[in-house]
Each structure stands twice: as structure tokens, then as C-alpha cells.
Amino acid sequence: TTTLSSTMKNTAAFFVIKTGNQAVSATTSTLVTFNSEKFDSDNKFDTSTGKFTPGVAGKYFLCAQMNIQAIHDQATTEFDIKQNGSYLNSRFKHIALNSSTDREPSIFTSCIVDSDADDFFQVFTHTDMSSGTTITGDANGFTFFGGYKLIGA
């Protein structure tokens, strides 16, 4: 049996989902909100602000997925994890098919990032779909955000 020291744990760790739909306006950066915690090991995710603030410096693996409705006609949708309001290397860009038929893609992004104890992370989306669109929320986790501290890195 091996006992891990407090510095050798994958915490803070969290996984949150969106259970209801969320409107996204055209050509506007929109904070993706998450209202249901599946787990939050150290109580570091705030559902009122959509912020994960680790509280412990280190390297973190972060991932997010969004299902978005009614995208078509070559509309561009971006999906980002931001650190302290700035873009990371986690930007995902989706361009819809050249069709008038609606599509509902699930868009995923992930990154490994250095974090100070007081850094915070949020998920944003932006679309140039002229009428805007909707992020799908449901109890099965179509839209989620999660992460954990890497040990040994």
C-alpha cells in the first residue's frame, strides 16, 4: 500500500453540465453557463459565474464540450476555454456545411495549462449565425466542462 502526499493528488477536480438550453446571440461572445455539478472535489467551481478557480498552482487538464443547434449556411462557431479572460490554445472553430438544412454539431476542446492558485477558467462561444442559435442542455451532459490537476508534471 502506498500513501500519496497531499501534493500528489489530482485535485482540484470538477465536472459540470448544462441541464437547460441557452440562447446565443449572433456575433456576440457568450459565456457558457453550467448549472449542475456532477462532482467538485474542492468546491472550486462557481455555478453563478461559470468559473473554475483551482486554488492550487500546477498544471491542469481542462476539457469542454458543447452541443449547438440550428447551424447552417457556412456559419462559423468558435468554442473556447479562457484563462483569466484570455484565449488559450484550446480554441475550436466549426464551419457549418453550405446548406440551408440545420445541423447540430457537438464541439469539443481540451488543453493542458499552467495555473496559479488564483487563475480562473471559463468557457465561451461565438457564432456568426445571423439569427443566433441555442446551446443544448440536458441531464445526460450534451454540454459539459471538466478538469483536474496533473500530478507528476
Side-chain angles (χ1 to χ4, degrees):
T1 302
T2 302
T3 302
L4 296 177
S5 72
S6 63
T7 60
M8 296 184 66
K9 294 183 181 176
N10 290 99
T11 57
F14 73 103
F15 188 79
V16 293
I17 65 171
K18 167 180 274 316
T19 60
N21 291 350
Q22 179 181 348
V24 176
S25 298
T27 66
T28 302
S29 184
T30 302
L31 172 67
V32 181
T33 58
F34 301 91
N35 61 314
S36 180
E37 294 181 339
K38 291 297 188 177
F39 70 89
D40 186 359
S41 68
D42 296 8
N43 198 28
K44 299 298 182 183
F45 187 85
D46 185 340
T47 56
S48 68
T49 62
K51 290 181 181 180
F52 169 60
T53 308
V56 176
K59 291 188 186 309
Y60 286 80
F61 172 80
L62 301 172
C63 63
Q65 176 177 292
M66 171 184 70
N67 182 268
I68 193 156
Q69 302 174 13
I71 297 293
H72 59 269
D73 290 336
Q74 292 186 313
T76 300
T77 303
E78 294 175 0
F79 186 54
D80 307 288
I81 299 172
K82 291 185 179 182
Q83 181 177 17
N84 303 324
S86 297
Y87 292 105
L88 293 171
N89 292 329
S90 65
R91 180 171 259 190
F92 185 94
K93 188 174 194 175
H94 176 268
I95 300 174
L97 297 173
N98 189 14
S99 166
S100 61
T101 304
D102 286 347
R103 304 289 187 229
E104 293 189 14
S106 288
I107 302 170
F108 178 85
T109 190
S110 65
C111 61
I112 295 174
V113 62
D114 284 310
S115 176
D116 290 334
D118 60 349
D119 285 343
F120 66 89
F121 302 90
Q122 294 173 298
V123 176
F124 285 83
T125 190
H126 180 277
T127 185
D128 64 5
M129 186 74 187
S130 62
S131 60
T133 187
T134 301
I135 299 169
T136 306
D138 82 329
N140 295 315
F142 274 145
T143 300
F144 65 79
F145 182 27
Y148 54 88
K149 185 175 188 271
L150 297 173
I151 58 173

